[in-house]
Amino acid sequence: MLGPAGERLAEGHQFYAVFQTDEEYRVMVVGGKVLGTVPLDLTLAPGQTIIFNGRRWRIESLDARAKVVVVAPTKSALPPRFGGGWSGVHDAVAAAMRRCLSGTGMPAYLDAGARALLDQGRAAFLGYGLDGTCIVEVGRDCTVLPWVGAAKLETLALTLLARNLQATPYGHAVEVRGCSAGDLRAVLTDIAGSPPPTPAPLPAWRRSPSARSTTAT
C-alpha cells in the first residue's frame, strides 16, 4: 500500500501508470469477419496453422501496419500456444534434452514417476530413430526435431515457408504438412548448401524516428 507521500504523488494529475503489454493483432476471417485478437508473443507467418476460438485456421496473410491476421478454415492445426512471459527454449537446453534422451544414465534425484517418464521418453526417442535422424514422418506430414533453441527453430520454420512448405514451429519441433520425409530432407539439404540471404532494408514506416528524419533531410 502507498504511504502518505506515495498517495500525494499518485493523486497528482501528472502521475501516469505504465504497464508493459503484448502487441495484439486482430484475427479476421477471409471476407472481413473479426474473430478476436491474439497477442503477438510468437512468430506468425502466412502458411502456418493455429487454433483460435475453438476452430482450426490457416494464416492467409498478415498486415503488420494494420495489425491484422487474415485466416481461413483448415482441417489441421497445432495446439494453441498461450502467453505468460515464456521466452522460448535456449540452444543449451535443447542440446541437454537430446543428451538426456539419448543417454542411459538415471539422475539420482528422480523419483519413481519421473524415472518411468524418462524411460518412456527414451523409448520413444529410439523408437522413432531420433538417434540417427531429425525427421519423423506421420502420415502425409512430417515433424522436424533439430534440437535447437526457439529463435533458430522459428527461423527454420520461416525458411521452410519461404520454400512454399506449410511449416509451423511448436515447442522444440517444426510441423510440416503435406510433405514426405524424402522431399523434406532434399529441401533441408538445399537450404544447408545455400548462401545466407542478403538482409532486405526495412520499409520506411518500420525505421526508427532518427532514421526517418535522416532520410527526410
Side-chain angles (χ1 to χ4, degrees):
M1 297 181 64
L2 296 175
E7 289 179 353
R8 288 194 299 270
L9 176 63
E11 290 174 356
H13 69 278
Q14 293 180 332
F15 178 83
Y16 298 93
V18 178
F19 302 93
Q20 183 177 358
T21 58
D22 291 327
E23 187 178 9
E24 291 191 339
Y25 274 49
R26 287 180 296 158
V27 180
M28 181 183 298
V29 183
V30 174
K33 180 182 178 181
V34 177
L35 300 176
T37 60
V38 59
L40 193 64
D41 58 353
L42 67 159
T43 300
L44 296 176
Q48 292 182 348
T49 54
I50 61 173
I51 294 178
F52 191 81
N53 282 1
R55 294 188 60 185
R56 303 167 185 267
W57 309 93
R58 182 178 185 273
I59 298 176
E60 298 295 325
S61 64
L62 189 148
D63 188 334
R65 184 191 293 272
K67 297 182 181 179
V68 171
V69 179
V70 179
V71 299
T74 185
K75 295 182 179 179
S76 177
L78 290 171
R81 290 168 60 178
F82 300 96
W86 182 72
S87 59
V89 174
H90 191 274
D91 286 338
V93 175
M97 291 167 57
R98 190 181 191 283
R99 287 196 302 271
C100 181
L101 291 173
S102 61
T104 56
M106 188 65 66
Y109 54 81
L110 297 183
D111 60 17
R115 289 194 295 271
L117 290 174
L118 180 55
D119 284 337
Q120 292 176 18
R122 286 174 170 171
F125 182 86
L126 294 175
Y128 284 110
L130 292 174
D131 54 334
T133 184
C134 65
I135 301 174
V136 177
E137 192 168 14
V138 183
R140 293 184 297 176
D141 305 331
C142 287
T143 298
V144 187
L145 295 100
W147 305 104
V148 295
K152 293 179 180 177
L153 193 77
E154 293 186 350
T155 300
L156 173 61
L158 292 174
T159 304
L160 292 174
L161 282 168
R163 300 295 182 101
N164 298 320
L165 296 178
Q166 299 182 48
T168 304
Y170 181 74
H172 56 279
V174 176
E175 179 191 67
V176 184
R177 296 179 53 215
C179 183
S180 67
D183 291 341
L184 179 57
R185 192 171 289 109
V187 172
L188 292 174
T189 301
D190 183 62
I191 292 173
S194 301
T198 302
L202 286 175
W205 61 272
R206 291 293 299 274
R207 298 174 190 159
S208 64
S210 60
R212 288 197 295 268
S213 61
T214 301
T215 304
T217 57

